[in-house]
Amino acid sequence: MPLIDKEELAVGDDCYRKIRTDIIFGQLRPAHKLKLEALREAYRVSVSTLREILSRLTAEGFVTAEGKRGFEVAAVSAENLRELAGLRLLLESHAMVTSFANADVEWEGRVVSAHHKLASTERLMESGIGEPEQWKRYDGEFHQALISNCGSRVLMETHSLAFDKYFRYQMVAFSYRGSEPAEQHKALLECALKRDAETAKKVLAAHVNNCIDHALANSSL
């Protein structure tokens, strides 16, 4: 059995995160052809490592494999956005009900802390000086904190993947919507502190559906 090169694995994992981030944030645009030689020069990894990374991203749905024609960044569409939004709502709403029912002081602390970071970042974004990658991280952390007491690691991981694929549309098709999302996040925080899962589900549905309406009205999807 060949020995595993830990340094090579670390380089591969780092490159995977970079390419994945570049896809989510639109640096690699939808339907962009991913030519191995160009990627090798840009990301400084071997072609074999790139093939493994692109296969991994294909399994996650960020890349599509075109047989002998190679790989390309997954396309975007209004239909796909609606599907992702529906999946996210299904997963997150279900997880919130369980998480709120299992609420404890530790969970409450995670939610409050995550919201504080997100709210600070949203103020920067609204002022035009925020960093989208930081905003994305704190947005995801807040929604993950809300469901973090659901008791299912698989559910949280599935939600995280759906959230990242949904968030890609914010980078590709959305413009920042101003104060409305921040107000909805604050409402979700208040629901969490009151353990009011039913109202939280309604707020979340408005939060996601308003994003879809905004995207379809302000892009060519």
Side-chain angles (χ1 to χ4, degrees):
M1 178 180 291
L3 294 175
I4 297 175
D5 188 325
K6 293 183 179 180
E7 183 176 349
E8 184 176 345
L9 282 176
V11 170
D13 285 342
D14 184 55
C15 183
Y16 157 78
R17 286 189 293 270
K18 287 179 181 177
I19 294 176
R20 193 178 192 272
T21 297
D22 285 348
I23 291 173
I24 290 173
F25 285 88
Q27 300 302 315
L28 293 172
R29 302 292 295 177
H32 175 76
K33 296 291 183 182
L34 297 169
K35 297 180 179 180
L36 293 176
E37 188 58 30
L39 292 175
R40 185 187 67 78
E41 293 181 5
Y43 294 97
R44 303 296 182 184
V45 292
S46 68
V47 169
S48 61
T49 297
L50 281 169
R51 288 186 184 278
E52 292 176 5
I53 290 169
L54 295 179
S55 294
R56 185 176 175 183
L57 291 170
T58 298
E60 291 184 347
F62 290 105
V63 169
T64 56
E66 298 295 325
K68 293 182 179 180
R69 293 191 295 170
F71 299 93
E72 66 178 39
V73 178
V76 295
S77 68
E79 180 182 7
N80 183 241
L81 172 58
R82 291 191 183 97
E83 288 178 346
L84 289 171
L87 177 60
R88 179 188 166 187
L89 279 174
L90 180 68
L91 295 170
E92 195 166 333
S93 296
H94 170 71
M96 279 198 305
V97 171
T98 308
S99 191
F100 283 28
N102 294 334
D104 55 24
V105 174
E106 293 297 324
W107 170 81
E108 187 174 295
R110 290 195 298 273
V111 173
V112 171
S113 175
H115 180 265
H116 174 73
K117 290 185 287 187
L118 174 58
S120 297
T121 306
E122 286 175 324
R123 286 192 291 271
L124 293 175
M125 290 294 294
E126 195 166 353
S127 299
I129 58 175
E131 297 179 7
E133 191 167 343
Q134 185 182 59
W135 166 49
K136 184 265 177 186
R137 182 170 73 252
Y138 290 151
D139 194 358
E141 285 180 3
F142 174 65
H143 286 279
Q144 283 272 292
L146 288 171
I147 67 172
S148 62
N149 255 23
C150 70
S152 172
R153 175 55 53 185
V154 172
L155 177 53
M156 289 191 65
E157 289 174 350
T158 305
H159 169 269
S160 181
L161 177 58
F163 182 92
D164 284 350
K165 292 165 74 174
Y166 172 85
F167 194 92
R168 182 166 77 113
Y169 278 86
Q170 289 185 292
M171 297 293 100
V172 171
F174 297 2
S175 57
Y176 191 69
R177 290 194 295 131
S179 62
E180 184 185 57
E183 292 167 359
Q184 291 165 337
H185 286 140
K186 184 178 179 181
L188 286 170
L189 170 65
E190 292 169 353
C191 289
L193 297 179
K194 295 175 182 177
R195 316 302 195 245
D196 185 356
E198 290 307 309
T199 301
K201 289 196 295 182
K202 294 176 183 176
V203 173
L204 180 66
H207 180 61
V208 172
N209 288 326
N210 290 358
C211 279
I212 296 173
D213 293 341
H214 181 78
L216 297 181
N218 292 277
S219 74
S220 58
L221 287 177

